[in-house]
Amino acid sequence: MDYVPAAMLWLLTVIRLPTALNKERAPVLRATFFAALACTLFIPAVYTAVDPFLGGRNLVGLILVIAVMAGFWQFHTATILAAINDDARRRRHLVRGRLAIAVAGSCVIVGFSVSQVEGTSQNLPLAFADQPGMQLFLWMGSAFIIWVCADVALTCLRFLPELRNGAFKSGFECFAIGCIIMALALGNALILGMMDSSPIENGTVVGGLNWSFTILETLAVLLVSVGLMLPRLSEFLQLARRNLRSRWLMVLLTPVWRRSSHERKYLLRNRWTPLLDPIMGHTIPHLHRRVIEIRDCQFRGMTLLPRDRILVNQAEQLLQGH
């Protein structure tokens, strides 16, 4: 179960690599990278293998929490950039997010620094929950993530009625629900922290909370990942359909194109691979040139059959984005 969220997030990071230089879309890439790093470090085998190399003081736990917070901060930034068009309002929300990560991150680092956390433990905040520093570490980290989840979910739900694209709408819904579930998982962790520091023992409740935290965390990561993937998947499928359609139209237009080429023989002499165009790259430019050549010959007197006219019209509509 621990490997599923990490695998999903690394896959999502790889898929979004082409957006690295896009200022509006890069925050999502950074968010998925930090989240994938955190989920990978959270895997017990990875945590226990890496921490000894860093001195065995649970520095991996600190890196993990900082990565989680950085990922959620970037998710918050990406949501604001996507949902809010007003520059002044957008700027206020972004500044609020930067201030929140600065305050929460500082408290987390201070809480870790003043705590005695020798001995590798994957459940760092809970294993040392009796120390004030770890309480600060746990509460500030969790409070920041819960605030981000609530703010992101609220922003997504407000923005939802304005969406007309089905894939984007479904993606926003999954993302918002995933954020709500993640907030519940963090609330679960806070309750665990309070129970671990309490002198009252209740093993059944603690066991149930531990079990439900894993389920909620995995479900939240899956929903957020699916929400982020749906718009990209829809865009990819549209491009793939357009590409296949353009290739098929080139095949269907080949007879009338060859007829027009016989009337303008230099076309064939200048292009020695015209019959390979449907299976080569850059299909849209090739289709565009083929339509222009057919139309040019039509204007010079060549008669198009009814089927050919329909195909040429379909190709022009495809080139216009219809």
Side-chain angles (χ1 to χ4, degrees):
M1 184 72 76
D2 292 320
Y3 291 89
V4 175
M8 287 287 292
L9 288 165
W10 281 120
L11 175 62
L12 189 57
T13 301
V14 172
I15 290 173
R16 300 197 70 88
L17 277 177
T19 67
L21 300 179
N22 187 313
K23 291 183 179 180
E24 295 286 323
R25 302 167 76 178
V28 177
L29 172 63
R30 293 194 291 269
T32 56
F33 169 75
F34 284 122
L37 175 63
C39 280
T40 302
L41 293 176
F42 190 70
I43 297 171
V46 176
Y47 192 102
T48 54
V50 173
D51 192 60
F53 287 101
L54 300 178
R57 289 197 68 254
N58 289 293
L59 280 174
V60 174
L62 176 62
I63 296 171
L64 189 158
V65 171
I66 293 297
V68 170
M69 294 174 67
F72 274 94
W73 171 45
Q74 288 300 303
F75 276 132
H76 182 267
T77 300
T79 305
I80 297 304
L81 292 176
I84 300 176
N85 295 320
D86 181 75
D87 289 337
R89 187 180 172 197
R90 175 190 283 188
R91 197 177 302 111
R92 284 197 304 271
H93 279 268
L94 293 176
V95 169
R96 187 175 61 178
R98 295 189 192 106
L99 181 61
I101 185 67
V103 172
S106 299
C107 290
V108 164
I109 293 172
V110 169
F112 180 86
S113 301
V114 300
S115 300
Q116 300 298 319
V117 290
E118 286 76 11
T120 300
S121 175
Q122 183 202 7
N123 293 318
L124 170 63
L126 303 182
F128 304 96
D130 57 335
Q131 300 184 44
M134 275 295 102
Q135 287 291 317
L136 179 65
F137 180 94
L138 173 64
W139 280 91
M140 289 305 297
S142 299
F144 172 77
I145 296 171
I146 290 173
W147 171 77
V148 169
C149 289
D151 196 61
V152 165
L154 185 60
T155 302
C156 287
L157 294 175
R158 282 178 177 172
F159 186 58
L160 206 58
E162 301 178 20
L163 292 175
R164 295 293 178 265
N165 184 295
F168 274 91
K169 193 168 186 176
S170 299
F172 265 80
E173 288 174 344
C174 285
F175 189 77
I177 295 171
C179 287
I180 293 170
I181 294 176
M182 181 58 75
L184 293 175
L186 266 295
N188 186 319
L190 288 175
I191 296 172
L192 271 172
M194 289 187 292
M195 295 193 69
D196 279 355
S197 60
S198 172
I200 301 174
E201 294 187 7
N202 197 330
T204 303
V205 176
V206 170
L209 289 172
N210 274 315
W211 176 82
S212 61
F213 173 78
T214 303
I215 298 297
L216 288 171
E217 182 210 27
T218 303
L219 183 59
V221 171
L222 290 176
L223 284 171
V224 168
S225 299
V226 170
L228 293 171
M229 290 174 69
L230 277 176
R232 294 287 294 171
L233 181 62
S234 174
E235 182 181 335
F236 172 78
L237 292 175
Q238 288 177 358
L239 290 175
R241 282 197 296 267
R242 191 165 186 256
N243 186 282
L244 290 173
R245 180 64 176 159
S246 63
R247 292 178 189 276
W248 182 236
L249 282 171
M250 272 196 284
V251 171
L252 296 178
L253 286 170
T254 296
V256 64
W257 179 82
R258 286 183 62 81
R259 188 154 56 91
S260 69
S261 300
H262 285 304
E263 297 189 15
R264 301 178 65 191
K265 299 184 185 303
Y266 67 86
L267 291 176
L268 284 176
R269 285 200 299 270
N270 283 352
R271 301 183 65 218
W272 59 276
T273 60
L275 297 179
L276 298 179
D277 285 348
I279 59 174
M280 301 295 284
H282 307 292
T283 57
I284 297 298
H286 287 316
L287 178 63
H288 186 236
R289 175 164 180 168
R290 188 161 293 194
V291 169
I292 289 176
E293 290 170 350
I294 293 171
R295 286 298 193 194
D296 185 57
C297 287
Q298 182 186 11
F299 293 147
R300 292 173 180 271
M302 185 184 74
T303 303
L304 294 181
L305 299 175
R307 177 177 178 274
D308 295 334
R309 283 200 298 271
I310 292 174
L311 290 174
V312 172
N313 289 335
Q314 289 178 350
E316 287 177 335
Q317 291 176 356
L318 178 68
L319 292 170
Q320 293 169 5
H322 301 304

